[in-house]
Amino acid sequence: MGETKPSDTFRFAGFSLDLRRTVLRDGSGGEVALRPKSFDVLRHLVTNAGRLVTREELLATVWPGVFVADESVTGCVAEIRRVLNDDGRMLRTLPKRGYLLEVEVTQEADSARQAMTTGSSPSLDRPVGSEAVAQPLAPPTRASLVVLPFANLSGGPEQDYFADGITEELTTALSRVRWFFVIARNSAFTYKGRAVDVRQVGRELGVHYVIEGSVRRAGGRIRIIAQLTETETGHHVWADRFEGTLEDIFALQDQVVEAVAGAIEPSLEAAEIGRTASKPTESLDAYDLFLRGLSRAYRLTRQDSDAAHALFCQAVEIDPSFALAKAYSVGHRVNRKAQGWSGPEEWAEGTEWARELLDPHQADPGVLRLAAIAIVHLGKDHEASVEAAEWALARNSGSAQVLLSCAWVYVFACQPDKALPLFERAIRLSPHDPAMAFMLSGVALAHFVAGDLEAACHWAERVVRMRPVWLPGRRALIGALMLLGREEEAREAAAAMKSLVPPDCSLEDVIPPFRDKGIRDRYIAALRAAGVPG
């Protein structure tokens, strides 16, 4: 390919890459923040769209003559996917080979636009029968909204976790109000750090309203500023400022929730919001530790997982009645067990804590949904798990996280007919979720349990492309391939997985606790026949 002129602009997937100004713009013309090296990686991928680009080629192009770790490329690719709202279908990772940007690209040089490289346009798979997540989504009939990540104005990135915690608390509180359709936290956080056009957000997420705001924490004081915008017109419906002491943080959150609800739906009764709002703990130290743990729990590395586990435990140690911290601790232990990062002592304590949280009078569905998935994965108690899932769904079936956890419970109970509709609804509520791989690995296993191995293989392949380090996705793919008779592919996939598996990991411990022993035995046998360690 010839040398690119400085004035060239490349257009793809609703974005434009301006090489002369070195900026990436979205469909509305707004500038999208991107680190310089990530921009250089994207430039090389765009100018080579439709062609496999090896990791070595990227290193030589973007970091010529400099030795850098492979993680530098991985980090840039992750940032590119985040800003493009890509779940791994547009920018594909081909294990041990490189990267492939599958989009149609057009090039503008000065005033002349000419066709350039054309990759095969990706067919958008429809997740479990729903609209494809990459397509614009029509808002539901009831009031729908997303709480975008609140900006941290506290003077340092180390305080991001606090602003993120406020955002998550507001999302959770608003999702409990049955009049609202609330986009899940994880999809909302794909917009973090970006200058966004609320009209574009409305189209991408299918919502009527966007809530934006900021948090400033100084000493013992806190200020929350929030505004509500209508996505169709960009009209500001409401804005307000809330100030108080850190001791009043929960009251401040409740005030913001009430104000937003009142602006959207004047007929809402304040008593409904007051009934659903709850103060998670009297200890601000425990709450701070909980938020710090939450900020690490969403990252899928052993180091972050260990840190999150320790922080959750410290929060519970300070306040043993802090149910939400205890629930997130046991829920996080499920992921740790599935990755082979924990042992029997941790599972036994998690089972004990989960049993303490299993209460039909528990008002918080977020506590119940985590207890439900923990009691079956850590303690193999299917009956208690399904019962707790039903309690959680009865309290809030409009939360993507509740739907996701309960869908997993039904997978473990070998009831795929109940699991798949819940996964579908969770994906609709969180269509751009960075944790989409967790959802789709559940979809894959639901199809596996149902006996549809082709579908299981299809969804598991997507999971491995999205999150190669998520071992349940790799196991689902290997098991489905092996039972389909594609033994060579299964063994290749097992060999590619070996470096990710801890040396003391046992298959008997880490595979899903399927209620049907026949399904469980067949799954283990397939994995072992393919050469999966453990």
Side-chain angles (χ1 to χ4, degrees):
M1 177 180 166
E3 182 180 355
T4 306
K5 295 181 181 180
S7 59
D8 283 353
T9 296
F10 296 87
R11 300 187 183 278
F12 65 99
F15 293 85
S16 62
L17 195 69
D18 188 332
L19 302 189
R20 183 168 63 86
R21 296 181 177 85
T22 64
V23 296
L24 174 68
R25 300 186 186 280
D26 59 24
S28 66
E31 186 173 333
V32 179
L34 200 60
R35 292 179 302 163
K37 288 300 183 185
S38 296
F39 182 91
D40 292 341
V41 169
L42 179 58
R43 167 167 43 190
H44 192 72
L45 292 169
V46 167
T47 55
N48 289 277
R51 178 178 76 80
L52 175 68
V53 175
T54 66
R55 185 178 290 260
E56 291 73 21
E57 180 181 337
L58 283 174
L59 289 170
T61 302
V62 179
W63 292 272
V66 178
F67 174 79
V68 296
D70 285 350
E71 285 75 10
S72 299
V73 175
T74 304
C76 289
V77 169
E79 182 181 7
I80 291 167
R81 285 187 176 130
R82 178 178 60 79
V83 301
L84 298 182
N85 295 326
D86 177 36
D87 61 6
R89 291 174 299 178
M90 185 182 350
L91 176 50
R92 294 178 54 198
T93 299
L94 303 180
K96 297 187 177 180
R97 296 175 63 195
Y99 301 96
L100 178 64
L101 184 65
E102 287 192 310
V103 293
E104 182 175 335
V105 178
T106 57
Q107 179 182 356
E108 285 185 21
D110 299 324
S111 59
R113 174 179 294 183
Q114 62 187 52
M116 191 203 134
T117 309
T118 304
S120 61
S121 198
S123 61
L124 296 175
D125 297 311
R126 296 183 177 274
V128 222
S130 70
E131 292 275 330
V133 297
Q135 297 291 335
L137 296 169
T141 54
R142 56 184 166 139
S144 55
L145 59 95
V146 60
V147 183
L148 293 180
F150 275 37
N152 165 32
L153 303 181
S154 301
E158 69 280 358
Q159 292 295 319
D160 275 358
Y161 78 93
F162 193 80
D164 292 349
I166 297 294
T167 307
E168 183 148 0
E169 291 284 350
L170 291 176
T171 300
T172 299
L174 287 168
S175 72
R176 292 179 187 150
V177 182
R178 64 178 181 270
W179 288 271
F180 291 167
F181 178 97
V182 183
I183 292 293
R185 174 257 189 220
N186 285 353
S187 277
F189 270 69
T190 61
Y191 295 90
K192 184 176 179 179
R194 295 170 50 191
V196 297
D197 182 332
V198 295
R199 287 166 290 194
Q200 181 181 349
V201 173
R203 291 190 297 270
E204 292 176 350
L205 296 180
V207 293
H208 298 107
Y209 302 96
V210 166
I211 300 171
E212 300 172 281
S214 63
V215 178
R216 184 185 298 275
R217 179 181 178 181
R221 302 284 300 177
I222 186 167
R223 172 185 294 172
I224 300 174
I225 296 177
Q227 68 178 25
L228 177 71
T229 307
E230 188 179 22
T231 58
E232 185 176 357
T233 63
H235 172 67
H236 285 197
V237 177
W238 160 90
D240 208 343
R241 181 176 69 186
F242 306 85
E243 296 188 34
T245 64
L246 279 176
E247 287 73 16
D248 297 329
I249 183 63
F250 306 116
L252 284 174
Q253 290 173 0
D254 293 348
Q255 289 175 35
V256 176
V257 174
E258 289 180 13
V260 172
I264 297 177
E265 192 72 44
S267 62
L268 280 177
E269 297 179 6
E272 173 68 16
I273 299 167
R275 184 186 67 79
T276 59
S278 61
K279 183 182 291 189
T281 177
E282 298 290 339
S283 169
L284 288 171
D285 288 337
Y287 186 64
D288 191 76
L289 288 165
F290 166 68
L291 292 183
R292 291 177 188 273
L294 206 58
S295 71
R296 303 290 289 271
Y298 287 105
R299 307 170 195 170
L300 200 57
T301 71
R302 177 67 181 269
Q303 182 179 7
D304 284 305
S305 178
D306 289 345
H309 175 61
L311 288 162
F312 287 145
C313 289
Q314 290 174 46
V316 174
E317 184 177 356
I318 290 175
D319 182 1
S321 65
F322 190 177
L324 196 59
K326 190 171 286 189
Y328 268 90
S329 177
V330 300
H332 186 58
R333 292 174 202 225
V334 171
N335 288 347
R336 288 171 58 77
K337 183 181 180 185
Q339 290 290 101
W341 292 342
S342 60
E345 184 177 342
E346 186 176 310
W347 311 335
E349 183 182 58
T351 301
E352 181 183 347
W353 286 8
R355 292 196 187 282
E356 293 173 7
L357 299 170
L358 294 177
D359 182 351
H361 303 295
Q362 169 60 250
D364 190 344
V367 170
L368 287 171
R369 63 106 179 175
L370 291 167
I373 197 170
I375 197 66
V376 63
H377 209 290
L378 304 178
K380 296 185 172 65
D381 189 339
H382 292 90
E383 185 176 346
S385 175
V386 170
E387 188 174 35
E390 290 173 350
W391 293 338
L393 287 169
R395 283 159 178 75
N396 188 4
S397 61
S399 160
Q401 295 304 310
V402 169
L403 292 167
L404 175 60
S405 295
C406 295
W408 270 108
V409 166
Y410 287 124
V411 170
F412 299 150
C414 297
Q415 296 178 283
D417 55 323
K418 291 186 177 181
L420 286 169
L422 298 186
F423 281 126
E424 180 178 356
R425 287 165 58 196
I427 290 168
R428 174 58 186 92
L429 283 168
S430 194
H432 302 297
D433 202 316
M436 185 63 70
F438 297 89
M439 294 186 182
L440 297 189
S441 60
V443 174
L445 282 174
H447 283 296
F448 183 94
V449 170
D452 189 346
L453 297 175
E454 291 286 357
C457 187
H458 167 76
W459 294 107
E461 284 177 336
R462 289 187 56 185
V463 173
V464 173
R465 289 199 301 269
M466 290 178 195
R467 296 299 294 271
V469 296
W470 177 234
L471 298 187
R474 286 185 176 269
R475 294 188 194 105
L477 175 60
I478 294 165
L481 286 171
M482 198 69 186
L483 292 173
L484 280 168
R486 296 160 61 179
E487 297 183 4
E488 184 176 350
E489 293 176 70
R491 291 191 177 95
E492 288 177 358
M497 175 184 175
K498 282 185 179 178
S499 63
L500 301 174
V501 179
D504 56 349
C505 182
S506 166
L507 272 180
E508 292 282 352
D509 290 333
V510 299
I511 69 160
F514 296 128
R515 191 170 200 167
D516 187 318
K517 187 176 183 298
I519 293 175
R520 177 182 170 85
D521 290 346
R522 187 162 64 252
Y523 191 43
I524 293 176
L527 294 175
R528 285 184 172 151
V532 173

